[in-house]
Amino acid sequence: TALACAARARAGSVVYESELCSSEAANWDTSELDTQISFATGAGDGCVLRMEWLTENRNYAWLHPSAGGASSGWSNVRVTATMRAIGQPLDNGRGSVHLMVRDEVGPDSSCEHNTPRSGYDFNLDFGVNADDAETVIGRRTSCDNVREIDNAAATLYPSNTDATYTWYTVVAEVDGSTLKFYVDDTLVNEVDDDEHGFGSIGFYCFRIDCELDYLKIEDLDAADNDGG
């Protein structure tokens, strides 16, 4: 969690923090996911929110804003997450792991593949080939409309040849129209965009199995007295 201090542009107040154990299940909307998502015990890693990619649908989990004391989400937040890919089901290329911010909609059955349809998308894209990997900030405005608004080449190791499946600590920071993306204490993407103003947090995996091990949300509009 050192990234939370390293990345902060201004002080915030922690409104939600979790290691994703089964007691957290009621705080997440996974109604579209059926058995493909679980709150599980990771091998030596405590609890995890685990997602298995089996088809083009049912692979998005969205945090109810009430879990963080909000009625409809947050506007300016810093979200710290520890996540990783744990397997690659397809042979024709690797997938991506996404942290959604300012999603005011959540899972929606109107989307054919149950992809997020609102908010900003901070993702680790492992690419079709290893040298295609990149970090991306995207803007989602409908089921099938996602636009990359910033990307950068990256070295990422999710693969089925790597038995350790690397954990990445990511920070998504949205403050006004400024969006910043940190990976392992390094600023990798920064862009300005004002399409989305508020919403909650989501976790999404595309064409890859993945785990979320830790999540913290800081409200940048609230006073913070805990230092950092």
Side-chain angles (χ1 to χ4, degrees):
T1 60
L3 254 183
C5 288
R8 61 178 53 186
R10 61 188 176 107
S13 181
V14 177
V15 295
Y16 179 85
E17 187 170 20
S18 175
E19 294 182 351
L20 288 309
C21 293
S22 58
S23 58
E24 283 294 308
N27 289 327
W28 291 81
D29 186 346
T30 60
S31 59
E32 302 294 330
L33 305 172
D34 295 337
T35 60
Q36 296 176 40
I37 188 168
S38 61
F39 291 83
T41 300
D45 297 312
C47 304
V48 294
L49 173 58
R50 180 175 297 148
M51 195 173 293
E52 296 177 85
W53 193 89
L54 301 178
T55 65
E56 286 280 1
N57 60 7
R58 300 178 180 175
N59 50 4
Y60 184 41
W62 182 76
L63 181 69
H64 290 289
S66 58
S71 59
S72 57
W74 303 271
S75 179
N76 301 312
V77 292
R78 180 181 301 107
V79 183
T80 303
T82 306
M83 57 193 197
R84 68 176 177 178
I86 57 170
Q88 173 54 54
L90 301 181
D91 294 328
N92 62 345
R94 297 186 287 182
S96 50
V97 182
H98 305 243
L99 184 64
M100 296 297 303
V101 178
R102 287 183 180 171
D103 177 2
E104 59 182 299
V105 178
D108 192 317
S109 59
S110 67
C111 290
E112 180 182 359
H113 302 314
N114 192 38
T115 56
R117 67 183 183 93
S118 176
Y120 292 113
D121 182 331
F122 297 76
N123 82 74
L124 305 177
D125 186 339
F126 298 105
V128 175
N129 301 299
D131 56 1
D132 293 336
E134 60 182 4
T135 57
V136 178
I137 299 178
R139 181 204 305 126
R140 292 180 179 267
T141 54
S142 67
C143 295
D144 298 314
N145 189 341
V146 55
R147 177 185 174 188
E148 290 189 4
I149 54 177
D150 195 64
N151 59 65
T155 301
L156 301 173
Y157 301 98
S159 73
N160 29 356
T161 61
D162 179 4
T164 63
Y165 298 125
T166 306
W167 285 107
Y168 294 97
T169 299
V170 304
V171 173
E173 187 173 274
V174 294
D175 193 1
S177 63
T178 301
L179 315 178
K180 295 182 179 181
F181 190 17
Y182 296 80
V183 178
D184 291 341
D185 213 9
T186 299
L187 178 64
V188 293
N189 300 93
E190 180 174 0
V191 67
D192 286 333
D193 193 88
D194 60 4
E195 178 73 25
H196 299 293
F198 72 95
S200 192
I201 310 305
F203 183 56
Y204 169 62
C205 293
F206 178 68
R207 293 184 175 175
I208 210 161
D209 300 334
C210 61
E211 292 179 340
L212 177 65
D213 180 63
Y214 171 79
L215 182 69
K216 178 169 71 173
I217 302 170
E218 296 173 83
D219 185 351
L220 300 180
D221 293 325
D224 180 65
N225 297 312
D226 63 4

